[in-house]
Amino acid sequence: MAYIKLDRKAYEFNLDLIATKAGSYGKVICVFKDNAYGHGAKILAPIARAKGINFIAVKNENEALELQDFFDNILILSHLPNLNENEKFIYALNDKKDITKFKPNTKIHLVVDTNMHRNGILMHELEEVLSQIEQNNLCLQGVMMHFAGSDELDASYYVQKQNFQIVKEKIKNILQEKSKDIIFHSHNSEALFRSAKLAEDEYCRVGLVQFGYAYFNQNLKKVLSLWANKISQRKLKKFQSVGYGGMFVAKEEMDIATYDLGYGDGLFRYDGKKDFFLPNGKKILGKMSMDNFSCEDCGDEVCVIENANDMAKFFNTINYEILVKLSPFLQRIVV
């Protein structure tokens, strides 16, 4: 059965590197949304907790409920308030119109739009929104933003960084002593490693960097690899084809095998038109099927993904999409 290997030592190495850069494990918020970017949230959670992570961010309440036994602090990033919020969790406030829709005493992190124009209140609305939060008895515990291009070498990163500094100063000025209990977090994976160091009042919110992917740090180690097992083998004679549509035709007799992995497992569908090579250098032969693919015989098992960047480049997408699409039904094994 096809499966995913998760390298424990690589994950622990990456977390140590992140914590060192952040200043301590206590300043790290690990993002575990979308099944920890396809890696397996519930499998990696105890490893992260044992290393010192006690604050995570997830997409919704379902993800939070699945991980509530591992972490004391869970921030839910995408939530439609319904006056029935769970007192255990923290909720991102993405729009000022939602202030009255949260249950009183709900713990929130205020999202501020510093120039991404996606989620969050506008900077000039800060004073009004802080007043409304207090009037509606919400518990403001944090303020956050998201960089639009922390992995891009342009001015937008510096503009947003400066804007968030203005936001922090304004909040501290408005709330005075109360602001001491508020945490600020703007630095995502790439922003953390392109900064000299975090400010004393800042946390970092790291996603895919946990798992070995970052433009600004090449010392990280890949945590995930995807493997397929052989389900059949045969000799393909000269001029015989393999798979749907007969896209691949053998130029000479060759030993081929079929492996138990396909686009039904979350892979992009390979159409057989351009050469696609596995990490071992062997080429997939013909079209990928829903549940399997064929290639030169590689033995009982073969690695299909070792570095998601390679597959992302072939399919003209990003490593995030390659990883989060991996089926949650694939077995995940920590090695």
Side-chain angles (χ1 to χ4, degrees):
M1 184 170 67
Y3 67 100
I4 288 171
K5 284 183 185 178
L6 299 170
D7 188 328
R8 176 192 291 268
K9 289 185 178 179
Y11 187 48
E12 292 175 338
F13 174 87
N14 294 342
L15 289 178
D16 284 341
L17 206 62
I18 291 165
T20 299
K21 182 68 176 177
S24 73
Y25 268 97
K27 297 186 75 174
V28 178
I29 302 171
C30 282
V31 182
F32 267 60
K33 65 180 182 177
D34 294 286
N35 200 24
Y37 297 85
H39 287 66
K42 205 164 184 179
I43 296 173
L44 291 175
I47 301 174
R49 186 68 187 93
K51 288 297 293 182
I53 297 297
N54 199 24
F55 202 145
I56 65 165
V58 296
K59 179 167 65 176
N60 53 40
E61 281 190 334
N62 287 337
E63 292 182 347
L65 288 167
E66 184 178 47
L67 299 172
Q68 63 180 330
D69 293 335
F70 298 101
F71 306 100
D72 293 331
N73 304 290
I74 301 180
L75 170 63
I76 297 173
L77 299 170
S78 299
H79 172 74
L80 296 177
N82 53 23
L83 293 174
N84 193 35
E85 282 68 39
N86 191 318
E87 62 183 16
K88 292 182 179 179
F89 305 141
I90 308 163
Y91 296 83
L93 173 58
N94 290 298
D95 194 308
K96 69 175 184 178
K97 68 176 176 55
D98 289 335
I99 293 174
T100 59
K101 300 176 184 178
F102 279 102
K103 184 172 72 174
N105 298 313
T106 295
K107 296 178 287 188
I108 63 167
H109 279 203
L110 175 63
V111 183
V112 182
D113 179 5
T114 58
N115 213 34
M116 188 175 184
H117 311 305
R118 187 179 67 170
N119 295 328
I121 68 160
L122 302 179
M123 291 173 62
H124 72 263
E125 297 174 326
L126 264 175
E127 190 165 2
E128 172 196 352
V129 168
L130 290 174
S131 176
Q132 290 180 11
I133 287 172
E134 184 175 12
Q135 290 170 17
N136 285 273
N137 296 313
L138 300 181
C139 181
L140 179 63
Q141 293 191 344
V143 179
M144 59 184 286
M145 58 150 279
H146 205 92
F147 283 108
S150 59
D151 56 348
E152 303 287 344
L153 296 175
D154 60 27
S156 67
Y157 166 76
Y158 299 100
V159 170
Q160 285 193 266
K161 192 170 184 177
Q162 184 178 29
N163 283 344
F164 195 60
Q165 184 60 36
I166 294 171
V167 167
K168 289 196 293 183
E169 291 172 1
K170 191 168 184 178
I171 287 175
K172 290 176 182 179
N173 183 54
I174 294 170
L175 297 182
Q176 297 294 316
E177 284 296 313
K178 292 180 181 179
S179 68
K180 292 181 179 179
D181 297 325
I182 294 174
I183 68 169
F184 297 93
H185 50 107
S186 62
H187 286 65
N188 56 9
S189 292
E190 296 292 0
L192 174 65
F193 282 102
R194 72 182 294 180
S195 300
K197 66 176 183 177
L198 281 184
E200 288 296 323
D201 59 359
E202 282 243 14
Y203 284 51
C204 63
R205 193 178 61 248
V206 294
L208 203 55
V209 70
Q210 300 171 74
F211 310 115
Y213 294 90
Y215 180 79
F216 290 102
N217 189 303
Q218 301 302 312
N219 296 319
L220 295 159
K221 298 181 179 181
K222 303 294 184 289
V223 173
L224 177 150
S225 58
L226 176 64
W227 295 78
N229 287 293
K230 182 163 63 176
I231 54 177
S232 70
Q233 64 188 56
R234 68 200 65 248
K235 283 193 179 293
L236 195 65
K237 295 181 179 180
K238 187 176 182 179
F239 301 132
Q240 285 186 331
S241 63
V242 60
Y244 288 117
M247 288 290 293
F248 175 80
V249 178
K251 295 180 180 178
E252 58 186 7
E253 185 174 279
M254 59 191 302
D255 293 318
I256 69 167
T258 298
Y259 291 85
D260 63 344
L261 194 69
Y263 61 82
D265 298 297
L267 295 179
F268 276 70
R269 177 180 171 272
Y270 171 58
D271 61 10
K273 293 180 180 179
K274 294 181 180 179
D275 290 345
F276 179 81
F277 294 95
L278 298 168
N280 66 2
K282 300 296 185 181
K283 186 171 65 173
I284 291 182
L285 305 177
K287 294 179 181 179
M288 176 177 282
S289 302
M290 184 182 296
D291 302 312
N292 50 62
F293 68 88
S294 298
C295 64
E296 291 183 65
D297 195 337
C298 299
D300 290 339
E301 64 177 20
V302 62
C303 182
V304 179
I305 295 178
E306 191 172 59
N307 184 337
N309 291 330
D310 298 331
M311 188 172 283
K313 183 177 181 180
F314 182 86
F315 287 104
N316 193 31
T317 185
I318 56 176
N319 48 26
Y320 287 83
E321 188 175 13
I322 297 297
L323 293 166
V324 299
K325 284 181 178 292
L326 294 176
S327 172
F329 298 110
L330 285 168
Q331 184 182 16
R332 286 155 170 82
I333 300 172
V334 177
V335 296

